[in-house]
Amino acid sequence: MKKHFIKVVLSCAIVVGSFSSCKNSSSSSKNVSRATGWKINAKEGGFQYNSDFKEQETPPGTVFVEGGTFTKGKVQDDIMHDWNNTPTQQHVQSFYMDETEVTNVMYLEYLDYLKEVYPPENPTYANIYLGALPDTLVWRNRLGFNETMTNNYLRHPAYAEYPVVGVNWVQATQYAEWRTDRVNELMLEREGYLADDTKYKVMNGEVEGTFSTEAYLNNPESVYGGEIDSLQGKQKRDSINAFAKRSSGVIMPEYRLPTETEWEYAAEALVGSREYNNYRGRKKYPWEGDYTRNGQRVGRGDQLANFKQGKGDYGGIAGWSDDGADITAQVKSYKPNDFGLYDMAGNVSEWVADVYRPIVDDEISDFNYYRGNVFMKKAIGEDGKVEILEDKIVYDTLPNGKIVAMNLPGEIKEVPVGEEETYLRTNFDKSDNRGYRDGDPGSSRFFSRFSDEEDNRKMYDSPQFEAERDSTGKLVRKYDTSNYRTSLINDEVRVYKGGSWRDRAYWLDPAQRRYLPQYMATDDIGFRCAMSRVGSKSKTKNKTVRHKKAR
């Protein structure tokens, strides 16, 4: 009886062991599903997924900024006593950021593309190119001779690697959208989803229509004016993977303006210092120390950024150690911070994505803080497919009369989210959240119960300037003449950060913040782009090192 029992136990162990072996072999294969045991990426069909994906590739022109916790806001030297950035502890996810400001030559590439693909002599396209042009008249001064910059700064090769200025916030966001499509077009070409040099055929007029990332992902047959079949690359031979999807890992997230929190975190660059005081917000500049001059042996006495050193002093005495520039300076003229980012203080101030409010509501959010969310969704046509704006260009006339194209032909139409997306949600209940909990009486949950609908009380009742075209095309400007405006703040006023060549050292502190209407441009505000990181917080190699140390 005992021997029989032992045999049964051993046989059970063998059976269990065989099943365990099968389980391990199937789960260890990256092309076998751990959920169903089915094959992944089988030639016969079925589920297709990029199981070889390692990590996000660093986008062109950017550096990696590993996310973390920091003290956002001002804790010292607030001599203006406005306290519009009171200290709050925030956490930022990892992202990528342009190592320099967008330069004149980078922006000229954008203008050249628009001019070639959407010729301004065509009345349908005229305002696409014109609306993207920087305002070169920002250099003019009633009592200053700056015509040299007015005529040359944007296009002369002497200023090629200088930061572009005269670009308003709307234009900066449109540049970022265009850049997203051009980079993804290149990635698809490189990975064989598009034929070589397709991008140049578009510019040369050999192909009608253009490439839009979102249109490609949602309705790939619509891109290039419907000619995508003749422009596919080597992947076309594999009918299963004829088009790339998000699951292919080839399409990069969008370029965009950084949020104010991201910009401030990146400028402080605490990665190079683990000192307690710096972590708690005591770091005054993007570099170490409390002074603007170089204290090292090499270059001792030189300024560490391009800024105005005093009244009438934009560049110091000729031949003496100073900041080396009287207006903007060529990018990379000064040392980068510990993230590898150049000119996060001085040279030009920079647009960020946020709508300005004098308060930071950390009670509602201390993770990726951002004010400016307007949630949208893709418009679906009667055929059940996303609507593509083929030749429908939506133009907007800004309050100063400048006409800009809000979309390019071939892009997807978007509409605000509605009750279908917001019903019984607790995390958001409407599309436009720019004014959420901003101090306006309307931010109160029960405001509608006690307010008179005709009583249009607003805390931020800034002037409402309008401009529109009449039936003859003449520009009609409507200047706000009200005597009851109490603020310059509204939902179209954006934050800009960092000191510029026109500013004193006070504004070099990354925590300082100012605002300007999004349709306005100056000769001392530029921008740089950012891109979110998908996947791990750290780079794979860093993660590997940590695991080895732990062992």
Side-chain angles (χ1 to χ4, degrees):
M1 182 72 180
K2 186 176 181 180
K3 290 181 180 179
H4 176 69
F5 174 75
I6 293 173
K7 287 181 180 180
V8 171
V9 171
L10 288 175
S11 62
C12 289
I14 293 170
V15 172
V16 171
S18 64
F19 274 111
S20 176
S21 175
C22 292
K23 178 182 178 182
N24 289 336
S25 65
S26 63
S27 62
S28 62
S29 174
K30 63 184 179 181
N31 284 320
V32 175
S33 168
R34 291 192 292 116
T36 63
W38 287 32
K39 290 181 181 180
I40 297 175
N41 300 322
K43 292 182 179 179
E44 298 80 11
F47 182 51
Q48 302 295 312
Y49 200 79
N50 183 1
S51 55
D52 292 324
F53 185 82
K54 301 299 181 186
E55 68 171 14
Q56 183 177 349
E57 180 179 340
T58 301
T62 69
V63 296
F64 175 66
V65 178
E66 182 176 345
T69 300
F70 80 117
T71 299
K72 179 179 185 288
K74 295 179 289 188
V75 295
Q76 58 182 350
D77 293 346
D78 193 6
I79 58 175
M80 305 295 287
H81 298 291
D82 50 7
W83 292 107
N84 64 356
N85 199 7
T86 52
T88 63
Q89 184 161 292
Q90 299 282 340
H91 188 88
V92 182
Q93 279 189 293
S94 299
F95 61 101
Y96 298 88
M97 196 172 194
D98 276 340
E99 62 175 347
T100 72
E101 297 115 344
V102 171
T103 63
N104 284 319
V105 71
M106 292 168 68
Y107 201 85
L108 283 174
E109 183 182 8
Y110 167 51
L111 294 177
D112 183 64
Y113 181 93
L114 296 181
K115 193 171 186 177
E116 292 294 327
V117 178
Y118 309 107
E121 56 269 18
N122 184 334
T124 304
Y125 299 145
N127 288 309
I128 292 180
Y129 175 74
L130 295 176
L133 285 173
D135 182 5
T136 58
L137 301 184
V138 294
W139 288 105
R140 285 182 171 167
N141 187 301
R142 294 180 182 86
L143 295 177
F145 180 72
N146 300 326
E147 289 305 291
T148 299
M149 280 83 78
T150 299
N151 296 326
N152 294 285
Y153 184 81
L154 174 63
R155 299 185 183 278
H156 198 286
Y159 295 112
E161 294 299 333
Y162 284 56
V164 67
V165 297
V167 175
N168 62 44
W169 184 92
V170 176
Q171 292 172 313
T173 57
Q174 290 173 328
Y175 170 87
E177 292 173 4
W178 168 85
R179 186 176 175 184
T180 300
D181 292 338
R182 303 292 74 76
V183 169
N184 279 327
E185 200 171 17
L186 175 66
M187 295 300 168
L188 290 172
E189 202 173 287
R190 188 186 71 183
E191 298 300 320
Y193 290 96
L194 291 176
D196 292 342
D197 298 330
T198 296
K199 55 187 179 297
Y200 298 121
K201 292 179 181 178
V202 173
M203 290 194 68
N204 295 334
E206 299 176 39
V207 175
E208 294 292 333
T210 58
F211 174 87
S212 164
T213 301
E214 289 300 319
Y216 179 86
L217 287 170
N218 290 275
N219 188 1
E221 292 84 0
S222 69
V223 298
Y224 298 120
E227 297 182 31
I228 184 66
D229 286 342
S230 61
L231 297 172
Q232 288 177 264
K234 59 185 180 182
Q235 290 286 354
K236 186 177 182 180
R237 293 193 296 269
D238 183 356
S239 59
I240 297 174
N241 293 314
F243 298 112
K245 305 177 180 63
R246 290 199 195 277
S247 58
S248 304
V250 177
I251 301 292
M252 285 193 169
E254 70 278 1
Y255 282 93
R256 54 178 173 78
L257 291 181
T259 67
E260 180 182 6
T261 308
E262 286 175 334
W263 193 99
E264 191 170 321
Y265 174 80
E268 288 192 5
L270 300 178
V271 66
S273 174
R274 300 299 179 189
E275 294 183 15
Y276 177 80
N277 281 340
N278 287 347
Y279 179 74
R280 290 300 176 189
R282 297 301 195 272
K283 192 175 181 185
K284 188 174 182 179
Y285 299 116
W287 52 84
E288 291 295 328
D290 294 329
Y291 303 99
T292 63
R293 289 192 181 275
N294 189 352
Q296 299 177 351
R297 184 174 180 180
V298 177
R300 187 185 300 275
D302 288 343
Q303 294 287 5
L304 295 171
N306 176 20
F307 66 100
K308 183 179 180 180
Q309 297 160 44
K311 184 175 178 60
D313 185 357
Y314 292 88
I317 302 171
W320 187 73
S321 295
D322 60 9
D323 64 18
D326 41 23
I327 55 168
T328 55
Q330 183 171 317
V331 297
K332 297 187 178 182
S333 294
Y334 310 92
K335 291 182 179 179
N337 69 7
D338 289 325
F339 276 131
L341 299 166
Y342 293 86
D343 294 320
M344 295 300 285
N347 216 17
V348 291
S349 300
E350 299 177 17
W351 289 113
V352 295
D354 293 57
V355 168
Y356 177 82
R357 290 294 188 272
I359 58 174
V360 175
D361 190 356
D362 66 321
E363 290 184 6
I364 201 69
S365 176
D366 56 5
F367 182 77
N368 288 342
Y369 186 89
Y370 165 64
R371 180 178 290 280
N373 279 316
V374 180
F375 299 122
M376 306 290 285
K377 64 180 180 180
K378 300 172 182 63
I380 306 298
E382 295 180 358
D383 58 356
K385 296 184 178 180
V386 294
E387 288 190 38
I388 306 296
L389 297 168
E390 298 293 351
D391 292 321
K392 301 174 184 176
I393 307 171
V394 179
Y395 290 108
D396 186 21
T397 303
L398 303 180
N400 60 357
K402 191 176 184 69
I403 300 176
V404 295
M406 303 310 294
N407 73 278
L408 296 178
E411 294 181 349
I412 284 181
K413 180 181 179 180
E414 291 190 330
V415 295
V417 297
E419 188 176 354
E420 296 85 355
E421 293 78 24
T422 62
Y423 183 63
L424 293 183
R425 282 190 177 274
T426 58
N427 53 334
F428 71 98
D429 58 4
K430 59 182 180 180
S431 172
D432 190 343
N433 296 272
R434 291 174 293 180
Y436 182 68
R437 284 173 59 97
D438 63 356
D440 189 305
S443 299
S444 170
R445 182 178 180 185
F446 303 109
F447 175 70
S448 58
R449 297 185 186 178
F450 309 105
S451 64
D452 184 349
E453 292 184 1
E454 297 180 0
D455 180 13
N456 191 22
R457 290 181 293 165
K458 288 186 177 181
M459 183 174 182
Y460 301 110
D461 58 346
S462 62
Q464 304 296 310
F465 304 117
E466 297 180 10
E468 58 185 24
R469 301 277 174 175
D470 61 17
S471 58
T472 64
K474 182 180 179 181
L475 183 64
V476 179
R477 295 182 176 90
K478 298 179 181 179
Y479 188 85
D480 192 327
T481 59
S482 173
N483 294 322
Y484 298 98
R485 301 300 186 188
T486 59
S487 172
L488 293 175
I489 302 171
N490 60 29
D491 289 343
E492 280 72 46
V493 167
R494 302 287 173 168
V495 178
Y496 66 96
K497 302 280 283 184
S500 75
W501 64 275
R502 279 193 177 277
D503 294 314
R504 303 288 186 95
Y506 171 77
W507 295 106
L508 301 184
D509 183 346
Q512 299 290 354
R513 62 201 299 253
R514 289 173 282 182
Y515 62 92
L516 195 71
Q518 64 186 30
Y519 61 84
M520 295 183 69
T522 72
D523 61 359
D524 60 349
I525 299 180
F527 71 101
R528 72 180 76 207
C529 296
M531 179 186 289
S532 299
R533 175 173 170 83
V534 293
S536 63
K537 175 177 181 286
S538 305
K539 292 248 184 178
T540 300
K541 61 180 181 181
N542 295 335
K543 191 164 58 175
T544 303
V545 170
R546 278 205 308 275
H547 286 308
K548 286 181 178 178
K549 287 182 178 178
R551 295 193 190 100

